[in-house]
Amino acid sequence: ITVNKAILGAVPIIEGTRISVRAIAGYYQMGMSVDEILATLSHLRPSQLLSALAYYFDHQQEIDQNLANASDVEFWKSQVFT
């Protein structure tokens, strides 16, 4: 897992991809199994997915807040109109 300011605004991503830990966490929260996520993102290796999930569990509060903000229309309006 890495952070690159040039990719996705410096959110944690799976190294060598543009897949964010936040995206993996979202799939997981929707109830998708590891196998289902791997089928959806077939270019990922199981070790990459498990690393993303481990990172998510280690930083769950931060990533859950980020997910909540990502789906909060009022939050995004406040970002645009400030």
Side-chain angles (χ1 to χ4, degrees):
I1 304 301
T2 189
V3 173
N4 182 330
K5 291 180 183 179
I7 301 174
L8 299 178
V11 300
I13 60 171
I14 298 171
E15 190 170 14
T17 75
R18 293 181 58 84
I19 304 295
S20 68
V21 172
R22 176 181 60 207
I24 299 300
Y27 285 134
Y28 181 80
Q29 288 182 355
M30 289 181 351
M32 292 178 73
S33 69
V34 168
D35 289 336
E36 290 170 327
I37 297 170
L38 285 171
T40 301
L41 302 171
S42 59
H43 61 287
L44 291 183
R45 295 185 316 271
S47 61
Q48 290 174 303
L49 176 59
L50 294 175
S51 291
L53 286 171
Y55 186 94
Y56 167 61
F57 292 129
D58 286 346
H59 301 89
Q60 192 166 358
Q61 184 176 2
E62 171 190 339
I63 293 171
D64 284 349
Q65 183 60 54
N66 192 274
L67 279 167
N69 289 345
S71 62
D72 182 355
V73 173
E74 294 306 315
F75 170 80
W76 287 108
K77 284 181 183 178
S78 74
Q79 299 302 303
V80 173
F81 300 114
T82 57

